[in-house]
Amino acid sequence: MSSSTIKNDGDTVAGNQEASQNEDVRTTTSKAGIPELFIKNNADHDHEAGHFPRLSNDEPPPAASDIRDSRSTILTGRQLLTRSSGRSSSTSSTMLRNRGATYEKAGEDGVSRMHKFSLYETAVRFYLVGADVMDAKFRILKIDRTAESGDLNIAEDDIVYTKKEMNQLLNAVDDGNKASGGLKLRSSTWGLLGFIRFTGDYYMLLITKRSQVAMIGGHYVYQVDGTELVSLTSTSSTRSKSDRHPEEARFVGILNNLDLSRSFYFSYSYDVTNTLQVNICHERRNLSQDPPQLPRINFNDMFIWNHHLLEPAAKVLRNTYDWCLPIMHGFVDQAILSVYGRTVYVTIIARRSRFFAGARFLKRGANDLGYVANDVETEQIVSEMLTTSFHAPGPKLYTNPNYTSYVQHRGSIPLYWTQDSTGVTPKPDIELNLVDPFYGAAALHFDNLFERYGAPIFVLNLVKSRERTPRESILLKEYTKAIEYLNQFLPNEKKIIYKAWDMSRASKSRDQDVIGTLESIAEEVLKTTSFFHNGDGQDTGTKMQNGIARTNCIDCLDRTNAAQFVIGKLALGHQLHALGIIDDTSIEYDTDAVNLFTHMYHDHGDTIAIQYGGSHLVNTMETYRKINQWTSHSRDMVESFKRYYNNSFLDAQRQEAYNLFLGNYIFKQGQPMLWDLSTDYYLHHSDPRVWSARTRNNYVQWYNSDHLVHRQMPALPRSDGLVAKTSLEYFDDYWLEYYRPLAVSSFLKIFSFRMNSTLRYIPFKSTKDGRYDLSPFRVRSTAEHDTPEKPRHPRFAALSNDSQDVQSHDGSQSGDTPLLPPSSSGAYHEPPRIKFAEGSQDHRSILKESKFELSPIPASSDQTPKTSKTPKDKSAIAQWTLNQFVVNSLNPSVTSAEMDEYGRYISHPLNLPLVVSTDTPSAPSLELLAYIQSASNSDVSNLHSTEEDIADFVEFIDVGEDPLTVTEADTPKKRYKAYRQWLKGKSLFKQSRIDP
């Protein structure tokens, strides 16, 4: 067996001793037609090494054009290699391979995504090793650290190695670099986000921490919890620090201002940038072709926030998404709806557009490309988990009828308007910068919505219509004119449906039902757009969503989130009805299902508000249902102040980070620095110098007719040929990712076990008696908000709902009511909502006005355990409205236990006689007798005082005529120890316990 040689300029990996020096890095083909990577020595690194295994056997050599044109996109997964590959210390014992073995190439064995990564380094190279979820298949990527400034030199290997073969390769690299320090494990990462450069060399951005947030079709969705920026510059590079641009560190600091550990999400095997409808239809179209195709890249460019970082990798890698992860910015949450043993997953995914992205007052309206500010796509996926994957039994690929989804959209009003936030007013004046008679920005925007979602589009405009000083009403009139102008050229059945309603005025009026109006609008929306329901179209019916509900207010935050919740709540009822969970299409408020959905939407709204406005929601569903407690007013004031503070002082800094990370600003020699720009207008709008060369849009045919075509479910995947002869794992490897065979785990580490669920609403005591209605669609009494495992404090035990029972199926009464649902971390939260960290998820339910009745509590001490006041007890006080405080103050009551305690207190003697004798009094109390009997004569006789005790006693009773004046003679005394420390400059508040 002939030996192979692997050498390079700085990484000497063994070969024939006859190998010449100073050879360039090149890929050659062996006599058997096997691609072999030759890494030759240079003059400074000339070492001997053993034989390296043959990479393949008896395979015809591929043409050079085939290698260059190969765009395989099969391997799209990646994760962290939590430990090193376990390389053996002996090279010679593992270098040989069995004769006749062959190497597998990427994509030859179907879908096989990399899920684990380890970054190794030598003096002149980085080696990124990727492994699948089972640690059975490995690939390697080589990154040059000595490339010229501004160049990115990466070598991609398409060979899929086994673990043994990867160990051999790493051992060979290590052995060839002994003189320069060998091969070291730099870090273990969960993925590579791409490469970025500012003024000189490149950096690569790695994911160091992650957490599971959702599971869709057996594919996990993760949140980025930590990142690391690694410079590709070698420590031994000839480029010294003096050669670097002086502003390089400042650019790095600006990028670090963008916290990537908040609300950034990715998945190794599920496309989080597209909706479920798009993903399912895309896969079904691929499989219905002849021959069927494996999953191909179909990422939505609008929602890939690291797009700028992926561009350098796309220029040098054949399979960019095999190694680099696209991340999405927005919100992801998932919870379980338990219906008598049937498990339903409710998932909310919000995707924020990377175009025209920024902070509240700095990004308003639309740019000349039709992209609007605060553009967010919200999708709710409701699926019954009878089977995990997207496939029906058979298998019928991507035809599982238990998956449904509904999509909504929010975005700023698509006109040219701004607000000047340089003043001190919290509500700056609104200015229309440009009045376009043809409404070009709005036309581009709605044509883009037609392309993404189809027709028709239902526009719900919630801005104010009547104001003392016209602000929002200016935009209302102009927006209405824009819709009327665009509609006159659309076909009748495809016209934009426009609904304007002053929601703010209605919420302040006593005679208007805000929720009722929104529900009637939601009914019209659902009839117009429908929703997506997967299936095969034969045994089960299918539905496609055509069109979108576009909701906006002035900020697209508070009012928009409430309106989207009502629409989403109605869609939830339709989705559950389509799955056969409920008979009707509506769900009542104050049920476990709606409360759970409300908490998810509040978290969704809070996250979107923080990203755009800098604070949580100010007005929530309680505000518009007019059931919020009086304590919420102070909370609203705090959130309003936080929003004002962030908009005034922090938004500019955040906008710079956005512009740098998204690639809106790219450093060029001779151009102004990012922080020197007076405005970023030209970073988000097209260059005026290219307007003359650009083809002007048609003012009449402003839309693309192909975008208005009614969307239908693609045909079923072919059941013959490759699909019938190939196992399911060839097309979808969800089984290994979700079930993790051969992996040791525990319930606390299983995501589905830790998910929030309606089961946590249920009081444990009532379920033991069988008196509780377990249906999550039953309207609950909301008087009790305490947790089942925490005993109630006696002072607040009167808040129990003993007088408000829940009727069960058999007609019996239950005194227990459902609990508020816990947060995603499992901790319980009760209203009022208390905000902690910005990224924390706090939940809040929709509550009707509670009616508290006082009930006596038994005097038995075992029924009223003494517990310390917990935060939950304190939050119970906040549930009392002002009227309830007055009622309880005018009608006070105490329990029998409190009466006994008070009687015992007032019967205690106020003046205790001085004990001057050992004789027992004539009528002693029981307490005195017990005390006397507890002290024996021997104990009394053993009492004695030492000389030191007597000296201390004399010192304490020796008080001068002026005890407040401290003389020098007093300083040594123990009583003045604190005073001596104060004289030495020590703080009294930082001292430990002072001895007398």
Side-chain angles (χ1 to χ4, degrees), residues 37 106 237 294 346 372 400 454 504 533 540 573 584 646 658 725-726 767 815 818 857 933 948 969:
L37 184 64
S237 175
L294 287 173
V346 180
V372 297
N400 189 344
S504 177
H533 185 196
T540 57
D584 197 3
N646 281 277
Y658 280 145
K725 299 177 182 178
T726 311
T767 57
I857 296 181
Q933 294 173 0
E948 184 180 357

Side-chain angles (χ1 to χ4, degrees), residues 264-283:
F264 284 89
Y265 305 91
F266 69 94
S267 177
Y268 300 106
S269 52
Y270 180 77
D271 184 4
V272 294
T273 65
N274 278 308
T275 63
L276 179 66
Q277 174 173 311
V278 173
N279 288 333
I280 294 292
C281 294
H282 176 71
E283 299 297 346

Side-chain angles (χ1 to χ4, degrees), residues 59-315:
E59 183 182 7
S65 60
D66 295 337
I67 297 178
R68 288 193 302 268
D69 296 338
S70 174
R71 301 296 176 185
S72 173
T73 58
I74 306 304
L75 293 171
T76 58
R78 36 257 134 190
Q79 259 181 352
L80 163 69
L81 188 59
T82 56
R83 59 183 183 277
S84 64
S85 298
R87 300 185 287 111
S88 72
S89 59
S90 174
T91 304
S92 59
S93 62
T94 58
M95 295 301 291
L96 299 179
R97 187 180 181 188
N98 295 334
R99 187 180 301 274
T102 60
Y103 278 85
E104 175 191 336
K105 287 190 175 181
E108 291 180 349
D109 193 25
V111 175
S112 179
R113 298 176 174 88
M114 289 182 288
H115 281 251
K116 299 182 180 181
F117 289 91
S118 285
L119 182 66
Y120 294 90
E121 66 175 344
T122 63
V124 291
R125 295 285 189 275
F126 279 119
Y127 293 92
L128 187 64
V129 178
D132 67 348
V133 70
M134 296 298 294
D135 284 340
K137 300 178 180 180
F138 293 81
R139 292 183 64 190
I140 190 168
L141 188 72
K142 186 181 69 173
I143 306 171
D144 191 2
R145 303 178 66 183
T146 60
E148 293 296 328
S149 177
D151 293 338
L152 187 61
N153 188 2
I154 302 178
E156 181 182 8
D157 191 354
D158 288 334
I159 301 298
V160 178
Y161 299 94
T162 65
K163 189 170 185 177
K164 179 180 178 181
E165 293 162 353
M166 182 55 65
N167 290 339
Q168 295 172 1
L169 179 59
L170 296 178
N171 284 331
V173 175
D174 186 22
D175 185 75
N177 288 270
K178 293 293 185 183
S180 58
L183 183 70
K184 300 178 181 178
L185 178 64
R186 169 64 183 267
S187 63
S188 297
T189 73
W190 294 113
L192 174 64
L193 294 181
F195 302 87
I196 189 172
R197 65 184 293 262
F198 306 116
T199 62
D201 300 311
Y202 274 97
Y203 299 83
M204 60 179 169
L205 190 60
L206 303 173
I207 300 175
T208 57
K209 295 181 181 179
R210 65 167 195 188
S211 59
Q212 296 173 342
V213 291
M215 190 279 297
I216 305 175
H219 306 284
Y220 282 113
V221 179
Y222 299 90
Q223 176 176 314
V224 178
D225 292 333
T227 58
E228 180 184 3
L229 193 65
V230 179
S231 174
L232 299 187
T233 306
S234 174
T235 54
S236 60
S237 175
T238 56
R239 298 189 300 273
S240 62
K241 294 182 179 180
S242 59
D243 298 331
R244 299 180 182 177
H245 198 280
E247 303 294 351
E248 179 79 10
R250 186 166 182 177
F251 278 112
V252 175
I254 292 176
L255 184 65
N256 290 333
N257 289 334
L258 180 62
D259 190 358
L260 293 175
S261 64
R262 292 182 178 178
S263 305
F264 284 89
Y265 305 91
F266 69 94
S267 177
Y268 300 106
S269 52
Y270 180 77
D271 184 4
V272 294
T273 65
N274 278 308
T275 63
L276 179 66
Q277 174 173 311
V278 173
N279 288 333
I280 294 292
C281 294
H282 176 71
E283 299 297 346
R284 292 179 64 155
R285 278 191 292 266
N286 287 338
L287 293 175
S288 61
Q289 296 181 7
D290 190 15
Q293 297 181 2
L294 287 173
R296 300 288 175 178
I297 290 176
N298 189 41
F299 296 120
N300 192 336
D301 182 69
M302 173 177 281
F303 302 119
I304 301 179
W305 269 64
N306 58 332
H307 181 270
H308 175 58
L309 281 73
L310 297 177
E311 286 182 341
K315 295 178 181 178

